[in-house]
Amino acid sequence: MHEQSKALAERNIIRLKIKYSRLNVSFLFPNLQSSIFNLLIVFCLCLCLSACCQPKPVNIQPFPVASSPIAANHINTIENFYQPAGIAFDYDGNIYVADSGNSKIQLIDKDYRKIVAIGCFGWKVGEFDHPMDVAFSNLMMYIADSGNNRIQRYGLADRIFGVIAGEKSNKSENSLELYSPQGIATDLRGDVYIVDTWDNRILKTDLLGNILLEIGGLNRFNKPQGVMVDKTGNIYVCDTGNNRVCKLDFSGIQTTCWGSEGDGKGQFQTPTSISQDKNGNLYVVDQGNKRIQAFNPDRAYLGEFGQDELKEPYDIAIDNENHAYVTDMSSSNVEVYKIIPPK
């Protein structure tokens, strides 16, 4: 009996060996076939989606170019500044330069001779710490006293200084806080436009520093440096960190922006200032590309100049005789050009 049981057990073991030797993958993984089918479906869908989502070739439109370009001839160099920044004309056509590294304002006559130095380094009223820009309204000069985080005014007639915005000598006074203001402009009404650079905004104030308009914020500008107001009240901002120029109407509503990072026509690398000639043409200091780009009132590209002389251009001012004065912070000079306008 024992022998029969032993033989039966051996036969059962043999049957099991045969059965398991015939096992296939589907026995071990009964859902494998449907899983493979599902994977194939997903794979096909991915192929279709990747084909559909391939980026279409971008049709990059060239920047509009005016049919009649400008030309500019270099005619002079005014020397012996230290990191000159802003530049502007007074009511009589004299030239004022924010001699930033020397912390003073230099007055230059029409024969390019320095005749007066205004201010010195310090933090008291009438003293400066790296002034970055100047602007005029009648007999009043406004100075972006950047290192002192304030805007000072200076009467050309009475020679009296005052602070209209930012830190004041009397800390108990209520004052408009600024963070490294680097640009300033005025309009025909005498209102003042302040580029509050590190606060990423433009402030419009009256003569006393009362805020009339605030434009910007981090979501709109990125370290703007230059501002200009045309005769009709349009505001132009050099949005330096975003490598573009923005035009806004008198109420601060943005109407257009142009530019992107690059060295092509209508592209910028750290634009720092903008100016306008008597015909309405616009001139942008394209600092990183060491050039001045010119555009007509419709923003069509007119040409460029300055590559042979400029190292680190910062600001530009154009007189009624089409002379362009460009400050160069690296060479510590002011370069003078004669612009030949479009025909």
Side-chain angles (χ1 to χ4, degrees):
M1 184 71 180
H2 177 72
E3 292 297 330
Q4 290 179 350
S5 298
K6 183 177 179 181
L8 180 62
E10 287 178 352
R11 285 197 297 270
N12 289 334
I13 290 172
I14 292 172
R15 290 194 188 97
L16 287 172
K17 285 183 179 181
I18 294 172
K19 180 178 180 180
Y20 281 96
S21 68
R22 292 175 180 174
L23 281 175
N24 53 28
V25 179
S26 62
F27 176 82
L28 294 175
F29 304 99
N31 296 322
L32 182 63
Q33 288 183 345
S34 72
S35 297
I36 293 175
F37 180 73
N38 290 335
L39 286 173
L40 287 174
I41 292 176
V42 171
F43 179 72
C44 293
L45 286 174
C46 289
L47 287 178
C48 294
L49 287 173
S50 63
C52 295
C53 296
Q54 287 293 325
K56 297 180 180 179
V58 178
N59 184 17
I60 301 176
Q61 297 295 326
F63 197 85
V65 178
S67 58
S68 181
I70 66 159
N73 298 321
H74 182 254
I75 60 174
N76 212 325
T77 298
I78 309 173
E79 301 177 330
N80 299 320
F81 300 95
Y82 183 33
Q83 296 179 342
I87 187 168
F89 303 106
D90 67 10
Y91 68 97
D92 199 32
N94 295 307
I95 307 163
Y96 288 75
V97 178
D99 195 358
S100 175
N102 286 319
S103 292
K104 62 181 66 175
I105 307 299
Q106 301 276 12
L107 168 58
I108 303 169
D109 66 16
K110 297 176 183 178
D111 296 321
Y112 310 142
R113 297 174 300 186
K114 295 180 183 177
I115 55 177
V116 175
I118 302 170
C120 62
F121 175 76
W123 56 90
K124 298 178 182 178
V125 175
E127 297 176 340
F128 307 113
D129 182 0
H130 286 81
M132 294 300 292
D133 204 5
V134 291
F136 291 88
S137 178
N138 296 323
L139 293 176
M140 194 66 70
M141 175 171 66
Y142 297 91
I143 305 103
D145 187 7
S146 182
N148 286 320
N149 298 310
R150 65 187 178 184
I151 303 298
Q152 295 198 60
R153 66 169 181 259
Y154 174 73
L156 299 181
D158 59 20
R159 299 183 181 180
I160 296 176
F161 279 95
V163 175
I164 70 163
E167 296 181 5
K168 299 184 178 181
S169 58
N170 184 350
K171 296 299 183 181
S172 64
E173 295 182 51
N174 292 325
S175 60
L176 172 62
E177 292 186 0
L178 303 174
Y179 189 6
S180 188
Q182 296 187 20
I184 194 165
T186 58
D187 61 20
L188 294 178
R189 292 167 51 95
D191 293 326
V192 182
Y193 296 75
I194 302 166
V195 183
D196 190 9
T197 300
W198 283 84
D199 283 327
N200 299 297
R201 61 180 180 171
I202 309 298
L203 299 172
K204 177 183 178 181
T205 74
D206 62 16
L207 298 176
L208 301 177
N210 298 309
I211 295 181
L212 304 175
L213 182 66
E214 180 177 353
I215 311 166
L218 184 58
N219 293 329
R220 189 163 187 179
F221 299 129
N222 182 8
K223 305 300 181 293
Q225 287 187 301
V227 65
M228 182 200 74
V229 185
D230 66 18
K231 294 179 180 179
T232 60
N234 293 307
I235 307 164
Y236 293 84
V237 178
C238 280
D239 189 5
T240 307
N242 287 322
N243 295 298
R244 62 180 185 173
V245 174
C246 291
K247 179 182 178 182
L248 307 96
D249 67 15
F250 69 94
S251 65
I253 297 175
Q254 182 175 300
T255 58
T256 186
C257 286
W258 76 94
S260 60
E261 185 175 6
D263 58 6
K265 298 173 182 177
Q267 292 184 315
F268 305 111
Q269 187 69 49
T270 319
T272 55
S273 179
I274 184 169
S275 187
Q276 194 172 41
D277 65 20
K278 61 183 179 181
N279 297 316
N281 298 313
L282 301 167
Y283 298 81
V284 179
V285 177
D286 188 6
Q287 186 181 79
N289 288 318
K290 303 177 182 181
R291 64 182 178 180
I292 308 298
Q293 290 197 69
F295 306 89
N296 70 15
D298 296 323
R299 298 184 297 110
Y301 175 83
L302 288 173
E304 58 190 60
F305 60 90
Q307 297 93 325
D308 294 335
E309 298 83 26
L310 301 175
K311 297 179 180 179
E312 190 182 356
Y314 186 84
D315 197 8
I316 182 171
I318 303 165
D319 64 19
N320 289 328
E321 297 177 354
N322 287 322
H323 293 115
Y325 298 80
V326 182
T327 57
D328 192 317
M329 299 191 74
S330 181
S331 68
S332 290
N333 297 329
V334 175
E335 305 295 347
V336 187
Y337 299 85
K338 175 65 175 179
I339 296 175
I340 303 171
K343 296 179 180 179

